[in-house]
Amino acid sequence: MNTTTHLRALALTATAAVALSACGNSTSSAGSSKTSTPSSTTATAPVGSNEKEAATVNPRVLLSHDQGLTLLDAETGKTLKETKKPGFLRLSNAGDGRHVMVSDADFLRVFDMGISSQPHGDHTHNYTYEPGLAERTFAAPKAGHVVPHAGKVSLFSDGAGTIQTLDADQVGSKTVEPHTAKTKAPHHGVAIALPDGTMVHTEGTKDARKSIVATKNGKEIARTDDCEGVHGEAAPHSEGDDVAVFGCESGPVVYRDGDFHKVKVSGYVRNGNLAGSHESPIVLGDHKTKKIDDENAEAEHPTKVALIDSRNDSLTTVELGSSYWFRSLARGPELVVIDLESGKVAKRISLANTPVEMAVVDGVAEAPAHKEAHEGHAH
């Protein structure tokens, strides 16, 4: 499944998503990873069972809504699975091309999308499985950001200030436990695991955040306190998978070559929502220039986006001519979410429930452990 096809599939469903959301709410307590019983579904076989090899697999789309989760075939629009689970559910790709993490208050639940494409020499083996909510559950008070990168996935708990990290291809395992690290205080944060064992993560409190630290073998190796309101991250292309960009309210920060580099801007500039690609050193970000101190003030609707060059710590803007919001941001061959060949909406799908969030997989790992793993393959 190539990138164009993947984006076309996304476009078919995106037209139906009238409301998308990112940062959530939640309450209460919990500890580390454990297994719990998911909500009831219409499954006739255990989730993840019935492995069958297939000639090809179509991308699949998971939608969350106030009644639960709906799984669609992105090419046909057919509903493959309905899971009843009322509540506010946020969705994040786990990084293995097969699983999606469902943020559900104080837990991160694993949804098996039921497809997998595994590179093998000069060809690919495709498989299908029984889809649905798996038994695997990660306890994470006020479950927050999920960040897949270079074969790892990091799960941040805003309520506990903890980071759980494990191999992305082990997300569906019932036995593999994540490595858990703890920040100094609970806060709305984010973390990314790098291939050399470095963990780059935010530090802060529930009231203020301005610090990012890099740790290795339990020791701090680099730090910056120059990222007021730090929020969000993206991993661009780099030779060693060791670069990460973080959003701030005073210009972004780039972690590169073992140190932090500030992107210089003039005045208040917030680039808190970022989108990266392992094929480009340029990170796409929102670009807000009005500081809003009153929570009742009208939200800013920017028309410019930021292009952050992770190689030289520079920022340029592009005027779109129309406003957007954070869920509009995505990296692709043309940074659009329409049929790239015709420039038109190819199909509309009627849904029984109004979507809140959306996740798309095509079976191929979005964050493979090694770049060379996919070289020579037409994904």
Side-chain angles (χ1 to χ4, degrees):
M1 187 64 64
N2 60 37
T3 303
T4 300
T5 304
H6 182 102
L7 288 176
R8 276 207 303 271
L10 174 59
L12 302 185
T13 314
T15 57
V18 298
L20 298 175
S21 175
C23 298
N25 56 12
S26 36
T27 56
S28 123
S29 60
S32 59
S33 167
K34 71 174 187 178
T35 298
S36 69
T37 303
S39 60
S40 60
T41 69
T42 58
T44 57
V47 171
S49 66
N50 290 340
E51 179 182 271
K52 296 178 182 178
E53 189 159 10
T56 60
V57 290
N58 290 341
R60 292 185 174 183
V61 180
L62 185 64
L63 301 173
S64 66
H65 46 80
D66 60 4
Q67 295 303 307
L69 300 164
T70 299
L71 180 66
L72 303 174
D73 182 305
E75 296 286 351
T76 67
K78 178 182 178 182
T79 298
L80 303 174
K81 186 82 170 181
E82 290 280 9
T83 302
K84 186 176 181 181
K85 197 177 193 319
F88 183 77
L89 306 176
R90 294 165 51 224
L91 307 176
S92 304
N93 287 26
D96 65 347
R98 173 176 169 178
H99 295 96
V100 167
M101 305 300 294
V102 181
S103 299
D104 178 17
D106 292 331
F107 296 91
L108 281 161
R109 306 186 186 278
V110 178
F111 192 97
D112 192 330
M113 301 285 275
I115 57 173
S116 178
S117 292
Q118 302 173 12
H120 187 260
D122 60 353
H123 61 284
T124 298
H125 290 284
N126 302 301
Y127 300 92
T128 63
Y129 310 84
E130 183 68 30
L133 272 179
E135 291 184 3
R136 184 63 183 267
T137 300
F138 298 87
K142 294 187 178 179
H145 284 267
V146 174
V147 179
H149 179 63
K152 301 284 186 180
V153 60
S154 299
L155 319 175
F156 201 94
S157 165
D158 291 352
T162 55
I163 305 161
Q164 299 179 68
T165 305
L166 71 163
D167 292 341
D169 61 7
Q170 295 297 319
V171 163
S173 168
K174 296 179 182 180
T175 59
V176 175
E177 292 297 321
H179 173 269
T180 300
K182 191 172 181 64
T183 61
K184 292 181 179 179
H187 65 285
H188 181 52
V190 65
I192 180 170
L194 303 182
D196 67 355
T198 300
M199 175 66 72
V200 187
H201 63 86
T202 58
E203 287 282 7
T205 68
K206 64 179 181 179
D207 299 316
R209 309 182 305 274
K210 65 176 184 178
S211 301
I212 315 171
V213 299
T215 62
K216 190 171 184 178
N217 298 324
K219 297 182 179 180
E220 183 176 308
I221 60 174
R223 179 186 190 94
T224 180
D225 297 311
D226 192 12
C227 190
E228 194 69 37
V230 57
H231 180 275
E233 60 70 45
H237 166 78
S238 67
E239 292 304 319
D241 280 328
D242 59 350
V243 176
V245 180
F246 292 81
C248 316
E249 295 178 355
S250 55
V253 163
V254 178
Y255 178 80
R256 184 184 66 250
D257 298 329
D259 205 356
F260 291 99
H261 307 265
K262 186 67 174 179
V263 177
K264 293 183 179 180
V265 296
S266 177
Y268 176 87
V269 172
R270 184 184 191 277
N271 311 109
N273 300 286
L274 308 174
S277 167
H278 290 283
E279 297 181 358
S280 170
I282 309 298
V283 166
L284 172 67
D286 60 351
H287 194 73
K288 294 184 177 181
T289 57
K290 298 179 181 178
K291 188 171 185 178
I292 300 176
D293 295 319
D294 184 352
E295 62 180 17
N296 297 317
E298 182 179 350
E300 181 181 359
H301 300 286
T303 61
K304 290 183 179 181
V305 292
L307 299 178
I308 304 159
D309 193 326
S310 64
R311 298 166 298 185
N312 58 20
D313 316 316
S314 65
L315 183 151
T316 57
T317 59
V318 176
E319 173 62 55
L320 301 180
S322 62
S323 63
Y324 61 92
W325 72 319
F326 62 87
R327 278 297 191 189
S328 303
L329 297 174
R331 283 298 312 261
E334 304 296 331
L335 298 173
V336 294
V337 194
I338 56 176
D339 188 308
L340 297 181
E341 293 180 350
S342 69
K344 300 178 181 179
V345 175
K347 186 176 183 179
R348 293 184 183 275
I349 301 171
S350 297
L351 301 172
N353 298 286
T354 301
V356 174
E357 292 211 351
M358 174 174 60
V360 182
V361 303
D362 61 5
V364 180
E366 301 98 346
H370 302 289
K371 292 176 181 174
E372 62 271 16
H374 284 170
E375 289 182 359
H377 298 278
H379 296 315

